Amino acid sequence: VCALDLKPYALAFATRENGERDVDACESLCHDLEESMKATSSNETDEKSSQRHITISWLRLWLNCLTESPERLFGRYQSLIVDCLESTDRQPGDDYLILAAHRLLPNTNSERYENGTAIMRAILVVEAGLAQSPFNFHLKLLLIRLYTTIGAVGRAFDLWSTLDVKHIQIATLGHLVVRPVFHLGYFKQ
């Protein structure tokens, strides 16, 4: 199951009629999912079990009830590193890095990209993953967002150029680098 597909349903389930988040419903949903995961995971591989854990962790993040520390998430990533992958393959635990980066940033949207120290820590975490998975576009897109937030447009463009964006992707992804460039007044020949 793609965790992002579950997001609208989880948010709708855990939101009261007045628009406030129902913390008890959030915890109940995550607890029920974890229990069902335990019941079906007795004969699964570690990778399959970690995929289920990642899905639940994403739900917890969206529902503001992910309590696992960034350090613990990074440790989970490290435990899943595979040395003999093709250079174009993703590491099995790359999603843990993205989760760790999100945990380092404040929860509220208004403060999400205001804390420079938190942004730098998130960048370091994701850059560590990019060294292991140099073709993972999820890591690159997150880094582009983080780098443009702190004004490091040069590095954002370097990452952008490795994405090999073409055709319709330019229209759908171009805003990631064009808007910050104009906002910062960065015009490179």
Side-chain angles (χ1 to χ4, degrees):
V1 171
C2 179
L4 195 54
D5 291 339
L6 296 176
K7 183 178 182 178
Y9 302 105
L11 292 175
F13 176 79
T15 304
R16 295 185 181 132
E17 288 182 21
N18 63 2
E20 292 180 12
R21 190 70 37 89
D22 184 347
V23 177
D24 293 333
C26 295
E27 284 299 327
S28 173
L29 174 65
C30 291
H31 176 73
D32 291 347
L33 286 171
E34 286 170 342
E35 290 301 314
S36 68
M37 180 178 81
K38 287 178 189 173
T40 60
S41 65
S42 59
N43 294 328
E44 291 182 343
T45 63
D46 286 342
E47 185 177 336
K48 184 75 169 177
S49 178
S50 71
Q51 289 171 352
R52 288 177 181 256
H53 182 264
I54 286 170
T55 298
I56 290 174
S57 296
W58 275 114
L59 290 173
R60 285 187 168 282
L61 179 78
W62 294 321
L63 299 172
N64 293 329
C65 60
L66 180 62
T67 57
E68 209 163 358
S69 72
E71 294 78 17
R72 175 101 168 120
L73 293 167
F74 190 77
R76 286 182 181 273
Y77 161 76
Q78 288 178 314
S79 71
L80 294 172
I81 290 177
V82 177
D83 292 329
C84 58
L85 287 179
E86 294 290 324
S87 64
T88 56
D89 288 343
R90 293 174 40 140
Q91 287 288 339
D94 281 354
D95 285 327
Y96 282 120
L97 285 178
I98 297 170
L99 279 165
H102 283 286
R103 283 287 287 135
L104 289 166
L105 300 171
N107 285 337
T108 60
N109 284 339
S110 62
E111 298 174 8
R112 190 129 183 97
Y113 297 103
E114 299 296 321
N115 184 333
T117 303
I119 293 170
M120 290 305 298
R121 289 181 66 204
I123 286 172
L124 292 172
V125 166
V126 181
E127 283 283 2
L130 194 59
Q132 294 289 329
S133 298
F135 290 90
N136 186 332
F137 72 93
H138 295 279
L139 299 177
K140 290 178 183 183
L141 291 173
L142 179 55
L143 281 169
I144 288 170
R145 176 76 183 263
L146 293 169
Y147 277 121
T148 56
T149 300
I150 62 170
V153 179
R155 177 64 177 143
F157 269 124
D158 291 344
L159 290 165
W160 174 262
S161 66
T162 66
L163 287 174
D164 197 28
V165 174
K166 298 179 195 154
H167 310 296
I168 191 67
Q169 292 173 330
I170 292 172
T172 59
L173 296 173
H175 68 91
L176 292 173
V177 291
V178 173
R179 187 181 310 151
V181 165
F182 288 127
H183 178 72
L184 295 169
Y186 182 85
F187 305 101
K188 185 177 181 179
Q189 297 269 351

